[in-house]
Structure formats: C-alpha cells, structure tokens
C-alpha cells in the first residue's frame, strides 16, 4: 500500500479525493431525504406578513397564493391593505430594497368594514358566496348581515350584490380604538424668528 | 429605622401642595344629575342592571362586573335613572362613552348594609367577593380592580404588603388629607388586606413632605404589625415599581408584576375603601378629589360622589373660568386635559387642576434633540428616552420595543428635564399604542387566515363529496346495465327496446305523412292493375291461338284482374270526389295555434273598438273576479290553519286587490261621467 502510494502519488491523491467525494455525497444525499423540509418555509414567513384580507387586489386569489408568487420572484409591492409598512416588512424579510407601493393595485386606505343596508337586502346569498372569510351571515330569501369583527374589509362582496346594498364604511374612531398619535411633525417647525411662521399664518 | 433604597433618576418639580390642605375635607353635596360611566376602571366595562325610569337607592348596584377584570358600579345617591346613554367622559380623546345617568331625589336613602362583623374569622374568598362587589378599583389613578390584584394564587406567596401613601405628583393632596383625617380607616383596611394576603411585612410608605399624615398614621398604627415608613420626596416615588424599590430594594422584573417578587401594592384610598366595604358594608360611591390651581379661589379637597360633574366642585371652590385656559384631570405631570367641565368625577379622579396660563404655560415649540442625555439621567425606569424617541419618530417600533418601551411608566420626568422641550411622553404613548395596534392587527390577520383556510378546506371537501356522489351514481347505472345484459336475451335490452319503439313510431309517422299521397297510391294501383290486365290478355290470346288447355283458367284470371281494375278506378274516382282538389284540402288544414292567434287578434280589435266605458267596466269585472278568488283562497287558508307567513301574504294580496278594485271603480265612474 505504502509502496503503491509512493509510486503513484497522483493516482493516490485522485483516489483519496474521489472517495471523499463519494462519502460526503452519500451523507448529503441521505440528509436531503431524511431532513426534507415540507413545503417552502419562506412562503409561510411571507404569508405571516401579508394582512390576510384575502381581497385579491394583488391579482392572486388570496394571500397565500400571492405569498407563493412572491417566493417565486413576483414584486412585493402589490398589496394595498398591507400598505407601505407591509412592503417594508417584506423587503426586510427578503433582504431586498423596499419599492414604493404599486398604485396600480389600489391605494393604501384606512381599514373598512362592509355594511349591508338590511332593508334593501333581498337575500340572494351572492355576497355570502363571495366572502373569503365567511363573515356574512344569512340564508336564501332572508336578510344578510356582516359580522363586523370577522370582516377584513376586502371589498369582494360589494360587486356581486344585485341591489347594491353593501357599503364599505371606514372604521369609526371610538373610545375603544382611539390612541395617542405621534406629535405633529409640523410642530417641529420652530417659530424662532417671525419668518418661521407657517404658510397659513403668513397668509393671514 | 428601616433601611431605605433609592431608584434611578427622578426629579424635583415644585410641589404646590400646600394650597389645597389649608382646610379639611369639605363635603361637596349632591348634584341634581350624576353621570356614571360604565368603564371607570381598567378592564371590561360593567354591564348595566337597571333601566331608564327605575328608582334606585344609594348604594344599589347599577351595573355588574363583566368578566374577571371588571368591577360593578353603584348608585352614589338615591334617585331615578333617567337614561343609559353616551355622554362625554374625562378621557384625553374627548370621545363619549356609555354612562348611567341618575337624577337624585335629594333623600339620599341607603340600601340595606351588609357589613362583615368579624373579618378575621371570615373566609378569604368571601372577603375578596365583598371587595369585588363593592366595586373597588385602585384609587391611586390607574383604576385596576383591587380584588383581582389581591387574588394572587398560592404559587406566588406574598411576603410584603405595601400601602402607597406617597402621592408624589405635584398639587394633589387627596391621599394626604385622607391619611390625616381617616388614618384609622386606612389602618383597619390595611389589616383586612393583610388578613387576605397574610404577608410577613406590612409597610405604609409616605413621602417626607407629609409629616402630619405620617404622624397621624404612625399613631393609628401603633400596636399593630404595620410599619409606617417615611422617605425623601422625589418624583415619581409614588410609582408602584419605584416605591417597591425604595422600601425593599427589589426591582420588579421587566414585563412582570410585583406579585412575581412576592409584593402587593395598594393605594391608601383603596385601603380606606376596603375598610368601608367590609366593616361598614358600603360600596365605593364617593372619593376625595383635590380641586386646585390658581384659577380657583379656594383650593381644597372635596368628598365627592362619583358621577358629580366637575363644574359642581369647581363652583364650590370658586372657579374663575376666564383665568383658566385648560382643565386637567390628575396632576401636572401625568394628567390630561378634559374636553369640558361637564365631565363627571370617576373612581380614578384624584385631582381637578385648573391652572392659570402663567402657572402651567403651553409648552414652547420643541427643538431638535441635542443628545444631552438629561432624560436618561431622569428616567426612573432606567430606560434610554432619547433612543426611544428616535425610534418612535422613525416608526421603528420593533426596535423601540427591544429597548423596553413597555417599561416606560409615562411619568413625564424626561419631558420635564428636556432642554429642547420635546414632548417625549407623547411619543412613547403613541409608540406603545402603535405597537399594540400592530399586535392586534397581527392577531386579526392570523384569525382571518385561519377562517380563509377553513373555508377553502370546506369548499374542497364539498367539491370532493359532490364528485364522489356523481361517481357513485355513474357506477350504479353501469352496474344496472351490466345486470340487464347478463339476464340474457329473454329480457330485451331496454335501450334496444327503446330504439325499436322509436323506429316503429317513426315508421308510423312516415305512414301518416303518406296519407296525403293517398291519391298517388290509388293512381298507382290503377296503373299497375291495368298493366297486369294487358299482359294477362296477351297471354290469353296466345294460349287461344295455340289452343292450349289452360285458356279457360287464363280467361278467369283476366276477368278477375279486370274486376280489380274497375274497383281501383272507382276508388280513385271516389277519393277525388271526396277531397276535391288536393291544394284546397291543404289550405283548409290551418293549425290550431294559428287559429288562437287570430282569435286573440280579433278580440284585440274588438277591444280597440270598445268604448272606454266598456273597457273600464270590463277591467273592473275582471278585478272583482280576481278579488273574489283571492278572498276565497284566504278563507280556505284560514280554515286550513295555514302558516302565519302565508296568511300574511294572502291578506296583503287581498288588500292590494281591494285597492285596485277601488281604483278601477273610480276610473269606471269617471269615464262614464265624461
């Protein structure tokens, strides 16, 4: 053996490398089978960031399909309900530059809740079928109503209504959801000298 | 002498406490109308038990606790409930909240009291229930339900009970005056709390700027296990965590509760309220409120009923509204501006501050942070206020959270020392709210996701079930066909039979359609018979010429054929006579539909020719007939005892028809007149 190695150093080196490669290849091959990840974990992480309104404004039938599309390389700025904050969070996760929200898919707006004008409802169940989160309650030929706490404000029930009795109402500010706002950034404009006065005051 | 500790930071703002303790506690009296918000505490708003118009007695429960972290609400005086509605409350948002509105009758009539005679021999649970039913929520300012705080599990043994008589915030003297005037009640209440918690040490902490309160408490506590401790004045030593550190040297862990380190802290006001509830059987219906500030002529403390409008107290203190530019509930450090002087006193209202513009000037505009670090030196929670400020401003809430944003007690020490006048606390409050909002949103989106996925799964399942049903039906049909085939030729294949039947039917139809060519058939018969006669005649002549034997037989055949020909010709003639020309026959056969259309057209023409009187009369007659029919149907339905819904519909129909009949009658009369 020693003689052989001494005689053909090149061959023995080749042999050593090949056998190492074979051993590690076998280990890796086994590991890839044994520790196979179910599904794509990045999809779950993206899906966790998406707002789950299931509104389809991104052009996909729900948030998870869009998460899958993002994982497959689609743009991350197609989700208006998530807003710029959502785009930022996705950019942080995927370690890419955060683009501006794509206005083509809708604007970022305050959360809305669907409201059925119940005296106009004819009980056609079309909105119930359209609701992605089963937030509309009702039966055929009976009045329907929205379970406000379950509504994601996705807008999908408005279009199918044949009598146009569904309205998207912005969530009203109440004692429950009121909270302190950050101090006005404009108030940081300091009136040190007279010309610092705001434009309104200057005009007045 | 007890060893005292110090906490990090703190400030020494001007105290301004002397103004309001020159006189004792004044009784505010009973206002005409009391407004009692259902949410005066931390936790779920209480659920009303009374209705508008109901008369209630003083101390009667108006609303019950909704859930564990909630307290009930009681009537502060006897009177009538006039409404349960949204009213403006003391809240920085200026929003309204549901309130019970009580009009007092001036009699101040109590409900029956149920005091606990001997609390020492009473079960701990019963005492807790008594405190809970009395509606006691922390009177120091936060309003956390006292019974919840006391109900610590056996896994967290309590070794120290601390009663907080610090009252570190400037201007406020409500606890100070309470300690001076009701020291016995406080000591008694403390002993009840100690009986419930069974701690090793009972401490009452009082700042050294209240020597009178300290000595009174000291005297009242002599002979008991209670130790009254005085310590140097510093803001905010009245904060629960800060007081614990001063008295025990222990720090409450970040995000934890004092109970985690074996300590429970209660306010002196709460201790007195516990005394009233257990020993006197009186629920929490009033509290001590300091009314102070330079815009009142006689700053003093009032014993006020909950629900008393603020202006009721301010007037008694000599309020000069023109001097006061904003009204504050609480102290100058942690209080907030209330929307108007009509808002009611609640369980957490310890002070109404009416400062003049000079006294509490509006903050000058903030200037950029110069990173001086004074806020970090002042922070009693050892946070990095300027760092938190940058994160809040840049909306990097996650980083702010990592820098322990939620350990901020919003004491305002940082804002107080800031040389750039930055409203730091407002940034932290907003950042906290934002973080909580984000958490709620995340929770909601998770909930929506689960619902969406559940719906998807349900739809898939339904589709699969449908598919399975269809497959089963298909299989059953195939099986049937196979069985039929196996049964053999004895029983005909149903499909084959159907095809045969269809064929037969078609043939019959063809035969039917041949009917109209009867004429042709007859003509054909005549022609062929004549041909046969001709051939038969030639054959007969040939046979005769040969003189064959069968000439007689042939003669017979020729005769027969001739007779047939005659018969055929006759039939043809008869047919032609019977039907006339074929074209005329076709024109005659107009189908029934065409006839109906024509009839209708004729009727319409007739209708058009009718006079309007006739028309109206006809319409009336028709409607009357319909009405009669509907009435009959309704009658029948009534007798058969139909469903109510159907009956309503029928009645509506009859009603409608009646209206129509009336209208038609009017029209008929009108047309006849003209």
């Amino acid at each position: 053996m020693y003689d052989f190695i001494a005689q053909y150093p090149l061959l023995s080196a080749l042999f050593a490398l090949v056998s190492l490669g074979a051993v590690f290849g076998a280990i890796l091959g086994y590991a890839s089978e044994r520790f196979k990840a179910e599904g794509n974990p990045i999809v779950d992480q993206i899906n966790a960031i998406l707002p789950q309104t299931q509104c389809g404004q991104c052009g996909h039938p729900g948030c998870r399909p869009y998460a899958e599309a993002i994982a497959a390389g689609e743009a991350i700025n197609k989700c208006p309900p998530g807003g710029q904050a959502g785009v930022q969070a996705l950019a942080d996760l995927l370690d890419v530059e955060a683009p501006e929200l794509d206005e083509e898919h809708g604007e970022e707006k305050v959360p809305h809740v669907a409201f059925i004008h119940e005296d106009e409802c004819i009980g056609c169940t079309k909105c119930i079928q359209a609701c992605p989160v089963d937030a509309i309650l009702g039966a055929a030929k009976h009045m329907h109503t929205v379970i406000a706490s379950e509504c994601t404000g996705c807008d999908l029930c408005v279009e199918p209504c044949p009598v146009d009795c569904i309205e998207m109402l912005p969530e009203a500010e109440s004692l429950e959801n009121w909270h302190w706002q950050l101090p006005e950034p404009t108030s940081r404009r300091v009136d040190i000298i007279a010309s610092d006065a705001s434009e309104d005051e200057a005009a007045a | 002498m007890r060893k005292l500790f110090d906490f990090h930071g703190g400030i020494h703002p001007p105290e301004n406490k002397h103004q309001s303790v020159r006189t004792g506690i004044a009784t505010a009296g009973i206002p005409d109308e009391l407004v009692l918000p259902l949410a005066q505490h931390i936790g779920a708003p209480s659920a009303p038990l009374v209705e508008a118009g109901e008369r209630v007695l003083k101390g009667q429960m108006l609303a019950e606790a909704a859930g564990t972290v909630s307290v009930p609400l009681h009537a502060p005086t006897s009177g009538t409930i006039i409404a349960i509605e949204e009213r403006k409350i003391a809240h920085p948002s200026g929003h309204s909240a549901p309130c019970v509105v009580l009009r007092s009758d001036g009699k101040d009539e109590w409900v029956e009291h149920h005091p606990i005679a001997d609390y020492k021999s009473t079960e701990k649970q019963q005492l807790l229930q008594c405190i809970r039913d009395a509606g006691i929520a922390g009177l120091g300012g936060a309003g956390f339900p006292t019974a919840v705080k006391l109900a610590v599990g056996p896994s967290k043994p309590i070794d120290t009970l601390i009663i907080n008589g610090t009252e570190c915030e400037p201007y406020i003297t409500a606890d100070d005056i309470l300690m001076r005037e009701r020291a016995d009640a406080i000591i008694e209440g403390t002993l009840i709390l100690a009986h419930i918690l069974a701690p090793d040490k009972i401490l009452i902490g009082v700042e050294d700027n209240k020597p009178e309160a300290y000595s009174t408490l000291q005297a009242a506590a002599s002979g008991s296990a209670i130790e009254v401790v005085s310590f140097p004045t510093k803001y905010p030593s009245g904060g629960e965590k800060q007081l614990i550190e001063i008295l025990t040297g222990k720090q409450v862990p970040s995000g934890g509760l004092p109970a985690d380190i074996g300590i429970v802290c209660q306010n002196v006001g709460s201790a007195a309220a516990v005394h009233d509830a257990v020993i006197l059987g009186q629920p929490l219906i009033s509290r001590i409120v300091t009314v102070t500030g330079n815009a009142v002529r006689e700053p003093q403390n009032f014993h006020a009923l909950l629900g008393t409008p603020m202006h009721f107290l301010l007037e008694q203190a000599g309020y000069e509204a023109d001097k006061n530019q904003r009204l504050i509930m609480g102290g100058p450090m942690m209080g907030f501006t209330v929307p108007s002087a009509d808002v009611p006193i609640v369980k957490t209202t310890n002070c109404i501050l009416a400062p003049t513009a000079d006294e509490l000037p509006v903050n000058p505009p903030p200037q950029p942070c110069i990173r001086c670090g004074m806020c970090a030196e002042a922070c009693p929670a050892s946070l990095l206020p300027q760092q938190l400020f940058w994160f809040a401003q840049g909306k990097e809430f996650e980083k702010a959270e990592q820098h322990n944003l939620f350990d901020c007690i919003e004491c305002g020490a940082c804002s107080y020392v800031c040389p750039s006048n930055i409203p730091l606390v407002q940034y932290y409050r907003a950042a906290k709210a934002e973080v909580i909002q984000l958490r709620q949103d995340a929770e909601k989106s998770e909930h929506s996701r689960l619902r969406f996925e559940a719906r998807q799964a349900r739809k898939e399942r339904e589709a699969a079930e449908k598919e399975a049903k269809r497959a089963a039906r298909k299989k059953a049909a195939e099986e049937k066909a196979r069985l039929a085939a196996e049964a053999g030729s004895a029983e005909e294949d149903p499909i084959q039979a159907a095809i045969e039947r269809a064929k037969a039917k078609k043939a019959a139809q063809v035969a039917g359609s041949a009917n109209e060519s009867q004429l042709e058939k007859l003509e054909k018969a005549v022609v062929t018979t004549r041909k046969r006669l001709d051939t038969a005649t030639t054959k007969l002549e040939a046979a005769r010429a040969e003189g064959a034997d069968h000439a007689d037989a042939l003669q017979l055949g020729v005769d027969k054929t001739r007779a047939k020909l005659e018969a055929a010709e006759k039939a043809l003639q008869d047919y032609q006579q019977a039907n006339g020309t074929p074209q005329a026959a076709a024109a005659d056969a107009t189908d029934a539909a065409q006839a109906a259309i024509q009839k209708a057209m004729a009727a319409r023409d007739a209708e058009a020719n009718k006079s309007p009187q006739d028309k109206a009369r006809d319409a009336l007659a028709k409607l009357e007939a319909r009405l009669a029919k509907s009435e009959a149907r309704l009658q029948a339905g009534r007798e058969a005892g139909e469903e109510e819904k159907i009956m309503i519909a029928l009645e509506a129909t009859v009603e409608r028809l009646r209206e129509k009949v009336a209208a038609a009658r009017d029209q008929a009369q009108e047309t006849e007149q003209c």
Side-chain angles (χ1 to χ4, degrees):
Chain A
M1 185 75 183
Y2 180 79
D3 291 342
F4 181 75
I5 291 169
Q7 219 169 351
Y8 307 105
L10 190 73
L11 257 185
S12 57
L14 203 68
F15 174 74
L17 281 173
V18 167
S19 49
L20 274 174
V23 167
F24 287 127
I27 291 172
L28 284 173
Y30 172 74
S32 76
E33 281 303 311
R34 176 73 180 75
F35 304 109
K36 197 170 186 173
E38 287 294 328
N40 191 350
I42 196 77
V43 172
D44 284 329
Q45 287 175 25
I46 295 170
N47 198 30
I49 292 173
L50 294 176
Q52 306 297 330
T53 43
Q54 319 293 353
C55 62
Q57 288 181 72
C58 54
H60 295 274
C63 292
R64 195 170 178 92
Y66 181 43
E68 280 159 8
I70 291 176
E74 197 163 312
I76 60 171
N77 59 350
K78 293 184 178 176
C79 179
Q84 195 59 42
V87 175
Q88 186 63 49
L90 285 172
D92 289 348
L93 174 71
L94 302 172
D95 202 17
V96 293
E97 197 73 24
E100 284 286 304
L101 187 68
D102 191 350
E103 294 287 319
E104 199 181 297
H105 295 273
E107 287 167 28
E108 187 177 357
K109 50 187 181 185
V110 291
H112 280 59
V113 169
F115 177 75
I116 295 179
H117 291 280
E118 293 174 348
D119 46 346
E120 289 167 35
C121 173
I122 55 167
C124 69
T125 74
K126 286 208 166 94
C127 53
I128 296 181
Q129 290 157 36
C131 181
V133 290
D134 286 334
I136 301 179
L137 199 65
K141 292 185 183 171
H142 286 76
M143 185 192 75
H144 303 343
T145 196
V146 176
I147 308 168
S149 60
E150 304 292 355
C151 178
T152 61
C154 69
D155 243 24
L156 291 180
C157 53
V158 174
E159 199 267 320
C161 181
V163 292
D164 215 7
C165 71
I166 305 181
E167 200 181 336
M168 298 305 293
L169 299 176
E171 247 172 50
E173 193 194 83
S174 68
L175 205 61
E176 284 74 42
N177 62 17
W178 175 89
H179 59 74
W180 293 94
Q181 293 298 321
L182 285 173
E184 277 285 306
T186 47
S187 74
R188 296 196 47 77
R189 253 194 256 145
V190 184
D191 296 340
I192 296 175
I193 51 173
S195 60
D196 277 342
S198 66
E199 281 170 33
D200 303 347
E201 283 169 40
Chain B
M1 198 57 204
R2 189 171 187 83
K3 183 183 185 312
L4 292 174
F5 301 85
D6 193 13
F7 62 91
H8 177 267
I11 52 171
H12 294 92
E15 282 169 20
N16 287 312
K17 285 181 186 268
H18 60 277
Q19 299 97 318
S20 52
V21 285
R22 282 179 286 214
T23 54
I25 302 172
T27 305
I30 307 166
D32 290 338
E33 193 180 278
L34 294 130
V35 179
L36 299 145
L38 291 172
Q40 305 197 2
H41 51 267
I42 287 177
S46 47
L49 293 172
V50 291
E51 277 170 23
E54 207 172 318
R55 186 180 137 78
V56 294
L57 294 177
K58 183 176 186 173
Q60 185 180 330
M61 201 185 278
L62 299 181
E64 61 182 348
T68 317
V69 186
S70 184
V71 293
L73 182 66
H74 301 80
T77 183
S78 60
T80 316
I81 305 295
I82 54 171
I84 298 173
E85 59 183 18
E86 298 264 318
R87 287 288 183 101
K88 272 252 162 75
I89 61 159
H91 192 270
S93 68
H95 279 296
S96 302
C99 299
V100 178
V101 185
L102 173 70
R103 175 161 295 143
S104 57
D105 56 11
K107 291 179 192 151
D108 214 20
E109 211 175 313
W110 268 101
V111 286
E112 220 176 296
H113 295 187
H114 297 286
I116 294 173
D118 181 14
Y119 70 86
K120 280 180 183 143
S121 58
T122 310
E123 280 287 307
K124 187 182 148 183
Q125 281 308 321
Q126 201 186 330
L127 285 173
L128 280 178
Q129 193 57 43
C130 173
I131 291 170
R132 187 177 154 83
D133 288 345
I136 302 173
L139 293 177
F144 191 80
T146 300
V148 178
K149 228 172 170 183
L150 293 173
V152 282
S155 59
K156 288 177 187 168
I158 299 302
D159 61 38
T160 312
L161 168 66
I162 295 175
I163 302 298
N164 189 346
T166 316
E167 200 166 52
C168 56
E169 182 137 357
Y171 283 99
I172 310 176
T173 55
D175 287 350
D176 185 5
I177 206 110
L178 183 81
M179 288 187 280
R180 292 188 201 187
E181 298 201 6
R182 296 197 66 203
D184 291 333
I186 292 170
I187 297 297
E188 192 74 32
T190 307
L191 290 172
I192 296 168
L193 295 176
H195 173 70
I196 293 171
L197 294 167
D200 302 333
K201 285 171 286 188
I202 313 163
L203 307 174
I204 300 184
V206 185
E207 267 186 346
D208 61 6
N209 60 357
K210 295 182 255 306
E212 206 175 314
Y214 174 74
S215 55
T216 324
L217 275 178
Q218 191 83 310
S222 62
S224 71
I226 300 169
E227 191 182 337
V228 184
V229 188
S230 175
F231 51 86
T233 302
K234 181 164 89 171
Y235 180 85
S237 52
E240 190 174 60
K241 291 171 183 174
Q242 283 67 37
L243 180 62
I244 288 169
E245 193 171 352
I246 290 169
L247 295 181
T248 66
K250 291 187 203 167
Q251 280 194 349
V252 180
S254 172
L257 291 170
D260 296 340
I261 52 169
I263 295 170
V264 165
C265 206
Q266 290 287 356
N267 180 260
V268 284
S270 305
V274 166
H275 162 267
D276 291 350
V278 175
I279 307 293
L280 306 178
Q282 294 176 359
L284 179 65
I285 54 167
S286 62
R287 67 158 297 140
I288 311 290
V289 182
T290 308
V291 180
T292 186
N294 285 348
V296 292
R297 279 189 299 275
E298 294 153 30
Q300 58 187 304
N301 282 285
F302 286 101
H303 183 247
L305 297 178
L306 300 179
T308 305
M310 284 188 178
H311 65 77
F312 189 75
L313 299 185
L314 285 165
E315 276 158 23
Q316 294 186 39
Y319 180 47
E320 293 162 295
D322 49 338
K323 276 201 205 165
N324 173 233
Q325 93 286 19
R326 60 183 172 140
L327 208 55
I328 295 165
M329 175 172 135
M333 301 299 293
M334 295 184 72
F336 56 87
T337 307
V338 294
S340 84
D342 299 330
V343 297
I345 303 290
V346 293
K347 291 174 183 174
T348 53
T349 311
N350 48 10
C351 179
I352 304 169
L353 180 57
T356 57
D358 304 336
E359 196 180 5
L360 221 64
V362 177
N363 268 352
Q367 295 178 33
C369 172
I370 54 168
R371 298 237 186 217
C372 63
M374 277 166 85
C375 48
E377 272 168 38
C379 182
S382 311
L383 300 177
L384 296 171
Q386 56 166 318
Q387 216 50 41
L388 290 172
F389 161 64
W390 290 113
F391 292 141
Q393 205 180 29
K395 303 203 172 179
E396 293 175 275
F397 301 121
E398 209 170 303
K399 280 187 188 160
E401 225 183 318
Q402 286 163 1
H403 281 69
N404 301 311
L405 172 68
F406 281 88
D407 284 345
C408 169
I409 58 166
E410 300 174 25
C411 65
C414 49
S415 305
Y416 183 81
V417 298
C418 182
S420 293
N421 300 308
I422 301 170
L424 290 163
V425 177
Q426 204 181 330
Y427 279 98
Y428 307 149
R429 281 173 175 164
K432 279 183 183 178
E434 206 64 50
V435 171
I436 290 167
Q437 184 70 47
L438 286 178
R439 279 186 200 160
Q440 283 171 350
D441 286 354
E443 222 166 84
K444 180 160 186 200
S445 89
E446 178 63 17
H447 184 70
S448 304
R449 188 181 65 79
L450 291 176
R451 278 181 81 88
F452 177 65
E453 279 169 7
R455 183 175 188 267
Q456 296 294 96
R458 193 191 69 218
K459 282 176 92 176
E460 264 165 36
R461 203 182 57 232
E462 278 172 1
E465 272 169 14
K466 232 180 189 174
E467 184 58 39
K469 261 188 196 163
R470 223 180 55 201
R473 269 209 306 274
K474 198 178 166 195
K475 212 177 155 195
E478 274 171 2
E479 186 74 1
K480 211 173 157 192
R482 195 176 56 77
L483 280 177
E486 263 173 22
S489 49
E491 205 179 307
E492 255 184 297
D493 187 356
I495 297 172
Q496 202 55 42
I499 292 172
E500 297 285 288
R501 270 204 305 280
K503 266 187 186 162
K505 212 173 174 185
K506 204 174 170 193
Q509 260 175 7
V510 168
S513 69
N515 228 5
E516 55 185 84
S517 60
Q518 185 80 17
L519 189 67
E520 276 173 20
K521 237 183 187 170
L522 289 171
E523 275 168 356
K524 222 187 209 167
V526 171
V527 170
T528 45
T529 322
R530 194 171 283 149
K531 238 184 203 163
R532 273 164 63 195
L533 181 61
D534 285 349
T535 44
T537 321
T538 26
K539 264 187 186 168
L540 176 64
E541 272 164 12
R544 276 215 184 115
E546 279 169 26
D549 313 327
H550 57 276
D552 285 349
L554 284 172
Q555 180 62 43
L556 199 68
V558 168
D559 287 346
K560 260 186 190 166
T561 313
R562 189 167 291 139
K564 259 188 194 165
L565 175 63
E566 272 164 15
E569 274 175 338
K570 194 166 182 294
L572 179 61
Q573 259 171 5
D574 284 354
Y575 185 79
Q576 272 170 343
Q577 266 169 9
N579 290 330
T581 57
Q583 280 77 12
D588 235 28
T590 19
D591 73 343
Q594 206 63 34
I597 292 171
Q598 255 156 21
K599 217 162 111 191
M601 274 161 87
R604 208 181 56 194
D605 287 347
E607 183 83 10
N609 292 337
K610 259 189 219 166
S611 67
Q613 281 96 326
D614 287 348
K615 251 198 240 170
R617 215 171 294 131
D618 280 1
L620 180 59
K622 260 185 211 159
L623 278 171
E624 272 170 348
R626 265 171 72 193
L627 174 60
K629 223 164 151 188
S630 291
E631 272 172 344
R633 169 102 177 77
L634 175 60
Q635 194 57 36
R638 238 178 230 149
E639 275 157 20
E642 285 270 22
E643 236 178 278
E644 199 184 351
K645 225 168 153 186
I646 295 172
M647 290 311 293
I648 289 167
L650 281 174
E651 271 163 19
T653 314
V654 169
E655 199 54 39
R656 235 182 3 255
L657 277 172
R658 269 195 197 128
E659 276 167 23
K660 272 191 189 165
V661 167
R665 203 165 275 152
D666 287 350
Q667 209 190 343
Q669 272 170 10
E670 228 168 76
T671 47
E672 248 150 73
Q673 273 162 13
C674 66

